[in-house]
């Protein structure tokens, strides 16, 4: 088995760690014309670079997802032949890998090779770009991955708005003893509305602080909710699981 095939098998099995992942084949340069930067996923890990606001928004979605294990920027170079017959190399934007969950390997999510493009751009250039995207799809299949194009219609959703709303609560600090009481209560209840916990643990005089503390637990992924729906007092909360 070749080294490339062995790496693909490890990644596709969802049992890989960060040392099994492909390394970036292209470094994103600093730019005064484009918006560049890094999104940091976890303490102690290097940030994932982006080179557009839309790429940053895509990374924020992946960062919030408990199912995502790692994201690699500029993960591979894909050779393809353009419409003119010339040979080119194409570098997709990201490779997303997912956490292993109990059950059959057939049920595990395959790594996802991702191209991020604004809707207007791919609509205007799809004939010119179709050759490289077909090559990327073939490459992904060979590696045991999937390939997709993410545009602003798929990225800039209510879920992204909610995640950006929650980010303002990430760095707030609250009494850990109270956090643990809330988490233990929620674990026993299984699923409950936001307002129930707010009324149970906070007096009217401390309601604003209570709202911030509960959203902080959600923002730091200690409490789960469905961010695809509006966040309000009726939002249902539960303890995240690995299943």
């Amino acid at each position: 088995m070749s080294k490339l095939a062995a790496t693909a098998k490890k990644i596709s099995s969802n049992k890989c760690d960060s040392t099994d992942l492909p390394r970036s084949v292209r470094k994103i340069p600093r730019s005064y014309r484009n918006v560049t930067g890094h999104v940091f996923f976890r303490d102690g890990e290097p940030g994932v670079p982006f080179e557009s606001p839309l790429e940053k928004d895509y990374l924020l979605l992946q960062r919030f997802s408990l199912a995502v294990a790692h994201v690699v920027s500029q993960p591979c170079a894909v050779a393809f032949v353009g419409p003119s017959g010339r040979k080119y190399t194409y570098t997709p934007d990201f490779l997303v890998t997912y956490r292993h969950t109990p059950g059959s390997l057939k049920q595990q999510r395959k790594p996802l090779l991702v191209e991020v493009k604004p809707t207007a751009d791919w609509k205007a250039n799809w004939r010119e770009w179709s050759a490289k995207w077909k090559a990327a799809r073939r490459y992904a299949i060979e590696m045991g991955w999937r390939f997709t194009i993410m545009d602003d219609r798929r990225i800039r959703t209510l879920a992204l708005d909610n995640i950006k709303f929650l980010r303002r609560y990430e760095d707030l600090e609250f009494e850990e003893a109270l956090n643990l009481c809330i988490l233990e209560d929620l674990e026993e209840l299984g699923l409950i509305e936001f307002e129930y916990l707010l009324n149970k643990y906070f007096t009217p005089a401390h309601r604003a602080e209570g709202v911030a503390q509960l959203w902080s637990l959600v923002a730091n992924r200690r409490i789960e909710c469905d961010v695809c729906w509006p966040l309000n007092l009726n939002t249902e909360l539960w303890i995240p699981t690995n299943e």
Side-chain angles (χ1 to χ4, degrees), residues 20-125:
D20 296 318
L21 296 172
R23 295 187 177 183
S24 298
V25 299
R26 170 180 169 265
K27 184 177 181 180
I28 295 176
R30 291 185 178 181
S31 172
Y32 295 100
R33 298 181 59 186
N34 299 322
V35 177
T36 61
H38 293 76
V39 169
F40 291 88
F41 274 56
R42 300 172 184 89
D43 293 341
E45 293 188 7
V48 181
F50 60 84
E51 55 184 337
S52 74
L54 190 59
E55 287 187 13
K56 178 181 179 180
D57 286 345
Y58 178 74
L59 289 175
L60 291 178
L61 288 174
Q62 305 315 303
R63 177 180 181 269
F64 192 80
S65 174
L66 294 174
V68 171
H70 299 283
V71 179
V72 179
S73 173
Q74 312 290 305
C76 56
V78 179
F80 73 98
V81 178
S84 65
R86 291 183 58 186
K87 294 182 179 179
Y88 298 91
T89 299
Y90 159 55
T91 306
D93 293 315
F94 303 109
L95 177 68
V96 181
T97 61
Y98 300 93
R99 297 185 184 280
H100 177 78
T101 55
S104 169
L105 288 179
K106 293 182 179 179
Q107 298 175 334
Q108 305 305 319
R109 295 177 67 176
K110 293 182 179 181
L112 185 64
L113 192 61
V114 179
E115 176 69 18
V116 175
K117 276 286 181 287
T119 304
D121 286 1
W122 72 255
K123 282 189 172 182
N125 298 281

Side-chain angles (χ1 to χ4, degrees), residues 90-182:
Y90 159 55
T91 306
D93 293 315
F94 303 109
L95 177 68
V96 181
T97 61
Y98 300 93
R99 297 185 184 280
H100 177 78
T101 55
S104 169
L105 288 179
K106 293 182 179 179
Q107 298 175 334
Q108 305 305 319
R109 295 177 67 176
K110 293 182 179 181
L112 185 64
L113 192 61
V114 179
E115 176 69 18
V116 175
K117 276 286 181 287
T119 304
D121 286 1
W122 72 255
K123 282 189 172 182
N125 298 281
W126 71 271
R127 290 183 184 277
E128 178 183 352
W129 293 343
S130 62
K132 67 178 182 180
W133 287 343
K134 288 178 181 177
R137 185 166 285 106
R138 289 193 296 268
Y139 181 90
I141 291 173
E142 179 183 343
M143 294 293 290
W145 305 342
R146 296 172 293 136
F147 173 74
T148 193
I149 300 165
M150 297 293 296
D151 59 22
D152 41 292
R153 297 178 303 178
R154 300 178 68 186
I155 295 172
R156 290 178 173 156
T157 60
L158 177 59
L160 179 65
D161 292 340
N162 286 336
I163 290 167
K164 288 184 174 182
F165 163 77
L166 290 168
R167 291 191 76 198
R168 70 187 71 175
Y169 298 101
E170 280 186 9
D171 297 328
L172 300 182
E173 295 184 0
F174 298 96
E175 182 185 350
E176 182 61 14
L178 181 54
N179 281 339
L180 293 176
C181 286
I182 294 171

Side-chain angles (χ1 to χ4, degrees), residues 3 7 10-11 15-23 45 70 72 97:
K3 183 177 180 180
T7 300
K10 286 183 180 180
I11 295 173
K15 294 182 179 179
C16 63
D17 59 29
S18 59
T19 60
D20 296 318
L21 296 172
R23 295 187 177 183
E45 293 188 7
H70 299 283
V72 179
T97 61

Side-chain angles (χ1 to χ4, degrees), residues 221-233:
R221 316 308 290 118
R222 301 178 74 178
I223 289 179
E224 182 71 291
C225 72
D226 189 345
V227 293
C228 294
W229 293 89
L231 299 183
N232 51 46
L233 295 178

